[in-house]
Amino acid sequence: MPRTQIEDLDIERLEILDEDGNVDEDLEPDLDDDTLLNMYRDFIFARRFDEKAFKLQRRGESGTYAPFKGQEACQIGPAYAMDDQDWMVPSFREGAIALSRGVDPAQLIRYFMGDEYGNKVGDSHNMPVSIPVGSQIPHAAGLGMAADRMDEDHGVLVYFGDGATSEGDFHGGMNFAGVYNAPVVFFNQNNKYAISVPREQQTASDTLAQKALAYGFKGLQVDGNDVLATYVATKEAMERAKNGDGPTMIEGDTYRLHVHTTSDDPSRYRSDEEVEEWKEKDPIKRFEAYLKDRGVLDDDRIEEIKDEMTEKVDAAAKEALEMDEPAVDHMFEHCYDEMPDRLQRQLESLKETRGDL
Amino acid sequence: MSEELNIVEAVNHALDDAMAADDTVAVMGEDVGVDGGVFRATQGLLEEYGEERVMDTPLDEAGIIGAAVGMAAGGMKPVAEIQFSGFIVQAFHQLKQHAARMRTRTRDDINLPMVVRAPYGGGIRALEHHSESQEAIYARMGGIKVVIPSTPADTYGLLQEAIDDPDPVLFLEPKKSYRAFREEVPGDSDATIGEAAVRQEGSDVTVVSWGAMAREAQAAVQTAEQDHGIDAELIDLRTINPMDEQTVIDSVQKTGRLVVVAEEPKMAGIASELSALMAEENLLSLQAPVKRVTGFDVPFPLYQLEDYYLPNEERIVAKMKEAVEF
């Protein structure tokens, strides 16, 4: 038999909550009411934060901002499926999971206000924002390899978008993780556009998830606007990773409802009709319907939570705006463990010649 | 330990000793395991430390440096080998955008104690891209250190320092000198990152070089003395960044003349930096214009022409004479 099929590969898609909030009871995760309510609060907090950060830029109080509106389920589901000790490796549109993992909102605003203080990660296992597209993916492989080698039992979750799958670093990170069986979950937020270029022009693959198969591990697609699906998929993938059963790539099928960044005009590359269709699939709308149906939420409670989160975000913005601007010394002090003489002299020279220092 | 080693053996011993002393040190790169590295720099390490710590990686320079960034962030001390420095270009973004920036980006919360080792330079009749010398490109990436030893003893000491350094270090090894000579390598080297070495004291002219050019400069200094009676002071820079500017300034204040010998291109190079340093900080000490003996501002040629590209004794002596006779 000279011609035989030697690989039988399949890709599954997971959906648990439909657009109207109807749940597939066979697949529904066992989450208690308090946890579900906390997830909802995180959703509202993230959405309010996103709106505020956008407004701060428009008012000239902050710099370029990359909104995540519409993609929150790809971040809040995984936040609840991970341990604090698991590494989260973001690109630059992961504010929702950052907040959900306890990052101080005022600090996050400071990053977009042009202050490196905003990227201080402390001893959390959150990596800082990474702007060069896809370049953080090999870091996740390395973090997973280090965890294995140091006998630590935490896993790693790394975010990247549809455009990033065209980058060499996507290949490199997936390949290293596959070869070393590193405990990594690759979470692709397929939000359909890399600025203006549609997903179809990044790759001729039918799905992004299928790319995982070439690296020797599982790939699946989830409804990326369904927080129960992103939660379940991440939970299962993280368990496999930590058990030594290999990495997983999850393609979250979602949509960026807002601009790429505050410098972008989406009307140049996509229609209002398309955006309206995706607004119907908003992750918050369906989760709210599910929680109301389950008796966890009612309209009064929703209003209460929204007011509370608005206040919290306003307070964070106020705090960020009132912070002192960073000392110019920081630019020099944090370049190396010890400041070399050359930088010391450059700092002194700057201070001597600039009258405002 | 004190034994006679050549440079590549000194690399091997430094790695071995660092791995024996610290379980978090791991070696990674193309062919570093079973093969022991194409120059045998990692020979024997796989057998001693196993495949978890001596990793034959996929053939992907960006993946190697990118994964090393992650491993360092995760608490290890990876020593990544790029087989030839010309291929660091394939991983340039990982070095510049992440290795160099992570400490600044996180205001000290994440530091990356990683080393990228790479054989660099010409003179071994290698293929295209295998003879690059581009240290100035890396010297201006704030956030990484750039070290280039020229002797076995310095190689042993500086590589151990690089592995212990809390910041990323690019460690460029002069492959033309890998097996050129042996010397006694003491177990407790006094070589320090950021400190140049005055190899020979003199009063007529200061000659500064590093890496593979240190031997050319040494030969030129001897010839200049024998044939022309020039009493030169010879400095081995050893670290490109942070650069030991003071040792060069002190020397030129004594000699009044400076010749810089560099294998890399002339444009915007370390020799240019030292010339500018003299113009800015030491002008009144100069009794002659600074002379640069460097590679040329062209792509490194295939090997039939490499001897013309590389600075040699004749070119160095000529510039020393020009400086002294000015």
Side-chain angles (χ1 to χ4, degrees):
Chain A
M1 288 206 296
R3 292 184 182 186
T4 53
Q5 185 172 346
I6 58 168
E7 286 274 20
D8 185 16
L9 304 168
D10 49 33
I11 304 289
E12 71 177 16
R13 179 181 165 97
L14 178 65
E15 298 175 13
I16 300 177
L17 270 186
D18 73 12
E19 280 178 50
D20 300 319
N22 301 309
V23 67
D24 182 326
E25 287 175 6
D26 294 337
L27 296 172
E28 188 179 12
D30 183 21
L31 290 167
D32 61 42
D33 288 354
D34 284 348
T35 305
L36 289 167
L37 197 59
N38 282 336
M39 287 170 102
Y40 179 76
R41 291 165 60 88
D42 284 1
F43 263 113
I44 302 302
F45 187 37
R47 183 65 63 92
R48 288 289 182 267
F49 177 91
D50 200 52
E51 290 163 354
K52 188 76 182 182
F54 182 82
K55 275 184 206 152
L56 288 174
Q57 191 278 338
R58 284 293 185 259
R59 293 204 303 245
E61 289 175 313
S62 175
T64 305
Y65 177 70
F68 49 73
K69 184 179 181 180
Q71 300 178 213
E72 293 92 341
C74 285
Q75 301 182 31
I76 289 169
Y80 280 78
M82 293 168 72
D83 296 332
D84 288 347
Q85 287 306 302
D86 294 331
W87 280 94
M88 191 278 289
V89 184
S91 60
F92 51 80
R93 204 186 295 284
E94 279 72 39
I97 190 168
L99 294 171
S100 197
R101 278 171 67 85
V103 170
D104 172 18
Q107 190 185 337
L108 198 54
I109 291 170
R110 287 299 288 189
Y111 177 70
F112 294 101
M113 290 175 69
D115 181 358
E116 267 99 353
Y117 166 73
N119 249 335
K120 272 186 81 66
V121 294
D123 55 6
S124 79
H125 278 184
N126 299 321
M127 285 291 276
V129 166
S130 174
I131 303 272
V133 169
S135 62
Q136 73 283 7
I137 303 173
H139 306 167
L143 283 163
M145 290 160 68
D148 269 352
R149 278 155 185 73
M150 294 172 76
D151 291 326
E152 287 163 345
D153 63 358
H154 50 250
V156 183
L157 182 131
V158 56
Y159 282 106
F160 52 100
D162 39 313
T165 64
S166 301
E167 292 276 6
D169 280 329
F170 166 72
H171 165 73
M174 296 276 281
N175 194 41
F176 267 67
V179 166
Y180 292 104
N181 199 42
V184 183
V185 179
F186 294 87
F187 202 110
N188 179 272
Q189 297 188 81
N190 173 8
N191 70 9
K192 307 298 178 283
Y193 291 90
I195 304 188
S196 67
V197 178
R199 142 74 182 87
E200 292 70 26
Q201 276 174 253
Q202 296 294 342
T203 174
S205 292
D206 286 339
T207 67
L208 300 178
Q210 73 198 62
K211 290 175 182 287
L213 305 184
Y215 298 97
F217 53 82
K218 186 178 170 68
L220 79 158
Q221 191 182 71
V222 300
D223 181 338
N225 287 4
D226 168 1
V227 72
L228 299 184
T230 62
Y231 169 80
V232 167
T234 307
K235 188 96 183 154
E236 291 175 355
M238 200 53 101
E239 272 169 24
R240 278 195 299 277
K242 292 181 189 178
N243 289 336
D245 295 330
T248 303
M249 176 175 162
I250 300 168
E251 175 189 356
D253 176 19
T254 185
Y255 193 82
R256 163 166 59 76
L257 285 175
H258 212 327
V259 292
H260 161 69
T261 68
T262 40
S263 309
D264 176 37
D265 171 12
S267 71
R268 294 174 66 87
Y269 55 83
R270 66 185 193 187
S271 67
D272 290 347
E273 293 74 31
E274 182 182 294
V275 178
E276 288 307 314
E277 275 173 38
W278 278 95
K279 278 185 181 164
E280 291 303 308
K281 301 178 188 175
D282 189 310
I284 298 184
K285 189 169 141 275
R286 72 178 74 176
F287 190 51
E288 208 170 84
Y290 165 69
L291 294 182
K292 281 167 84 170
D293 201 41
R294 224 178 118 127
V296 179
L297 269 184
D298 57 34
D299 288 341
D300 289 346
R301 188 86 183 96
I302 288 170
E303 284 315 304
E304 254 174 62
I305 291 171
K306 287 184 174 172
D307 289 347
E308 182 194 342
M309 294 307 161
T310 303
E311 272 174 38
K312 218 168 134 183
V313 163
D314 286 349
K318 185 164 179 284
E319 187 187 338
L321 290 167
E322 285 173 355
M323 280 183 201
D324 292 336
E325 79 171 31
V328 72
D329 305 54
H330 290 180
M331 187 160 69
F332 298 89
E333 277 171 356
H334 301 292
C335 191
Y336 295 94
D337 182 49
E338 283 177 34
M339 200 193 306
D341 292 345
R342 187 183 171 93
L343 297 191
Q344 186 74 51
R345 288 197 303 276
Q346 290 179 2
L347 172 59
E348 282 164 12
S349 152
L350 175 64
K351 285 185 166 178
E352 277 165 20
T353 47
R354 280 279 300 246
D356 52 349
L357 287 172
Chain B
M1 184 198 85
S2 179
E3 54 184 310
E4 293 244 323
L5 300 174
N6 63 31
I7 288 180
V8 77
E9 288 164 350
V11 170
N12 187 268
H13 280 237
L15 292 171
D16 194 352
D17 292 352
M19 293 182 82
D22 184 345
D23 285 348
T24 65
V25 178
V27 166
M28 59 198 295
E30 295 155 11
D31 307 297
V32 300
V34 174
D35 198 40
V38 295
F39 290 101
R40 307 291 174 255
T42 52
Q43 186 155 281
L45 298 179
L46 175 66
E47 292 76 4
E48 205 171 334
Y49 300 103
E51 60 183 20
E52 290 269 290
R53 292 178 63 200
V54 182
M55 290 174 265
D56 270 325
T57 62
L59 207 167
D60 173 9
E61 290 80 9
I64 292 167
I65 297 185
V69 166
M71 289 175 68
M76 293 189 73
K77 293 180 178 173
V79 183
E81 177 179 303
I82 298 298
Q83 205 160 69
F84 291 87
S85 72
F87 301 111
I88 294 176
V89 174
Q90 265 75 358
F92 191 74
H93 64 294
Q94 286 295 347
L95 204 56
K96 181 164 193 331
Q97 295 173 330
H98 292 298
R101 288 190 77 103
M102 196 63 80
R103 181 187 286 280
T104 272
R105 178 182 294 146
T106 62
R107 284 288 184 256
D108 271 335
D109 282 350
I110 297 181
N111 66 319
L112 301 175
M114 59 186 277
V115 177
V116 177
R117 293 179 40 242
Y120 89 97
I124 65 158
R125 302 170 79 79
L127 285 167
E128 195 177 0
H129 309 294
H130 289 65
S131 302
E132 302 293 306
S133 185
Q134 293 284 351
E135 50 271 32
I137 288 179
Y138 308 106
R140 66 189 299 170
M141 286 181 186
I144 64 170
K145 296 180 178 177
V146 183
V147 175
I148 310 184
S150 74
T151 68
D154 282 357
T155 300
Y156 177 79
L158 291 172
L159 182 52
Q160 287 202 319
E161 275 223 342
I163 293 169
D164 285 338
D165 201 289
D167 288 307
V169 178
L170 176 63
F171 196 83
L172 295 172
E173 298 164 4
K175 61 178 174 289
K176 189 188 175 191
S177 311
Y178 259 165
R179 293 186 168 78
F181 64 106
R182 288 172 187 277
E183 68 176 7
E184 199 70 24
V185 174
D188 52 345
S189 160
D190 61 355
T192 302
I193 291 177
E195 284 184 13
V198 179
R199 300 293 187 198
Q200 176 184 312
E201 293 197 13
S203 57
D204 293 338
V205 57
T206 300
V207 178
V208 176
S209 70
W210 54 92
M213 286 299 109
R215 298 189 75 225
E216 301 295 332
Q218 174 89 55
V221 163
Q222 278 169 8
T223 301
E225 184 174 13
Q226 281 160 17
D227 295 356
H228 308 289
I230 296 173
D231 179 29
E233 179 142 311
L234 181 62
I235 294 176
D236 183 345
L237 210 52
R238 301 198 290 193
T239 303
I240 300 301
N241 184 18
M243 190 186 285
D244 184 354
E245 299 172 354
Q246 198 56 49
T247 293
V248 181
I249 289 173
D250 289 347
S251 176
V252 176
Q253 281 179 351
K254 186 171 66 173
T255 64
R257 300 172 182 86
L258 175 63
V259 175
V260 187
V261 184
E263 185 171 337
E264 63 171 352
K266 192 167 194 175
M267 169 71 83
I270 302 305
S272 322
E273 181 61 31
L274 286 167
S275 304
L277 179 70
M278 292 304 118
E280 282 184 338
E281 307 288 342
N282 211 25
L283 187 64
L284 299 179
S285 301
L286 290 177
Q287 295 173 39
V290 175
K291 301 291 177 187
R292 290 183 283 164
V293 189
T294 68
F296 301 105
D297 299 326
V298 298
F300 195 94
L302 294 185
Y303 69 76
Q304 290 208 20
L305 294 178
E306 72 175 338
D307 285 349
Y308 298 101
Y309 179 93
L310 295 167
N312 69 355
E313 191 183 318
E314 202 178 355
R315 283 174 58 199
I316 301 165
V317 171
K319 290 293 176 188
M320 289 171 70
K321 274 186 72 188
E322 274 181 36
V324 171
E325 291 167 4
F326 178 77

